[in-house]
Amino acid sequence: RDVAPSRGLGDVYKRQYTFTYIKEDYMKKLIILSTLLATLAACNNLENNNQQTVSTTTVVNTLNSTSNILQGIAAYKQGDMIGAYNALKNLSPASTNLETYSTYLNVLQNLNKNQELLTALKSGNEYFGNSKDYVLNYAKILTSKFNDTNTATNVLENYLKLYGNNSEVEKSLANIYTSAGEVAKAAALLKGTN
């Protein structure tokens, strides 16, 4: 019988430490690569705008912003809402994408930062108001967290006015109408979706 001897638990723990170290090292390299890509994108954007030079301040600000976003997302995924908030609290919808901004909104909800959440929702609607997912989330937060069916109704109606029929948005709006006792209005809206 040719069986290798048992290694014992010490070797298992050593391998786990090595994996954790490699994972942390990989994350550091990913952050560096992402910040470099963001810097290149900023430089490219400036070139496209016929600006010949990139200031050091622009590069540093882009690197800092990208680093904060990556740290915030990592903290959020690890369940560290305070860390995510501290990294993302200066996030502007103009400087990010919908997925990252939605993460920021989730952080604000989890920490019950209601005034900041309302401000962020309004700001986000200016940039992401053409996204069905954003307006549905916006309306959901307004109705469930703030019991503000009027603003939620306006957000959804405005979306339908600007971008046309969408069954998910119409169903969400019909639910608000129904909860407000406007059953006939909800029925008429849903009749148009079938």
Side-chain angles (χ1 to χ4, degrees):
R1 217 169 103 162
D2 191 17
V3 176
S6 172
R7 293 179 163 185
L9 287 178
D11 288 339
V12 172
Y13 291 129
K14 286 177 194 171
R15 284 195 305 273
Q16 286 177 344
Y17 174 77
T18 301
F19 176 72
T20 303
Y21 176 77
I22 290 170
K23 187 168 77 172
E24 289 172 2
D25 187 52
Y26 174 76
M27 283 299 291
K28 288 176 186 173
K29 288 178 181 174
L30 182 63
I31 288 171
I32 291 168
L33 178 61
S34 297
T35 53
L36 288 173
L37 288 173
T39 303
L40 288 173
C43 293
N44 186 39
N45 188 36
L46 289 173
E47 285 177 17
N48 291 338
N49 290 327
N50 296 323
Q51 295 181 9
Q52 298 301 315
T53 59
V54 177
S55 72
T56 305
T57 305
T58 301
V59 173
V60 169
N61 288 343
T62 303
L63 290 171
N64 286 337
S65 175
T66 304
S67 177
N68 285 343
I69 289 170
L70 291 171
Q71 288 173 3
I73 291 170
Y76 176 77
K77 287 184 177 184
Q78 293 173 353
D80 177 10
M81 295 301 142
I82 301 291
Y85 173 74
N86 288 332
L88 298 174
K89 66 183 171 189
N90 295 319
L91 188 66
S92 160
S95 66
T96 191
N97 61 28
L98 178 58
E99 183 179 357
T100 301
Y101 201 71
S102 296
T103 299
Y104 175 55
L105 295 176
N106 288 336
V107 169
L108 293 175
Q109 284 183 83
N110 282 316
L111 294 175
N112 290 316
K113 295 201 174 275
N114 294 337
Q115 197 56 49
E116 287 178 66
L117 178 59
L118 280 173
T119 301
L121 284 167
K122 289 175 189 171
S123 297
N125 197 46
E126 294 175 25
Y127 290 91
F128 305 119
N130 61 342
S131 163
K132 170 198 63 144
D133 293 330
Y134 185 83
V135 296
L136 287 170
N137 190 39
Y138 187 3
K140 178 183 170 192
I141 293 169
L142 287 171
T143 55
S144 64
K145 191 158 187 81
F146 299 104
N147 200 27
D148 185 356
T149 56
N150 290 333
T151 305
T153 299
N154 290 338
V155 167
L156 296 173
E157 287 175 344
N158 189 50
Y159 179 86
L160 292 173
K161 213 178 294 174
L162 293 172
Y163 304 105
N165 294 348
N166 180 286
S167 61
E168 287 181 72
V169 174
E170 289 168 338
K171 287 175 185 173
S172 181
L173 185 56
N175 286 338
I176 294 172
Y177 288 156
T178 302
S179 68
E182 300 180 73
V183 178
K185 201 171 182 179
L189 180 65
L190 292 176
K191 187 176 180 184
T193 62
N194 293 331

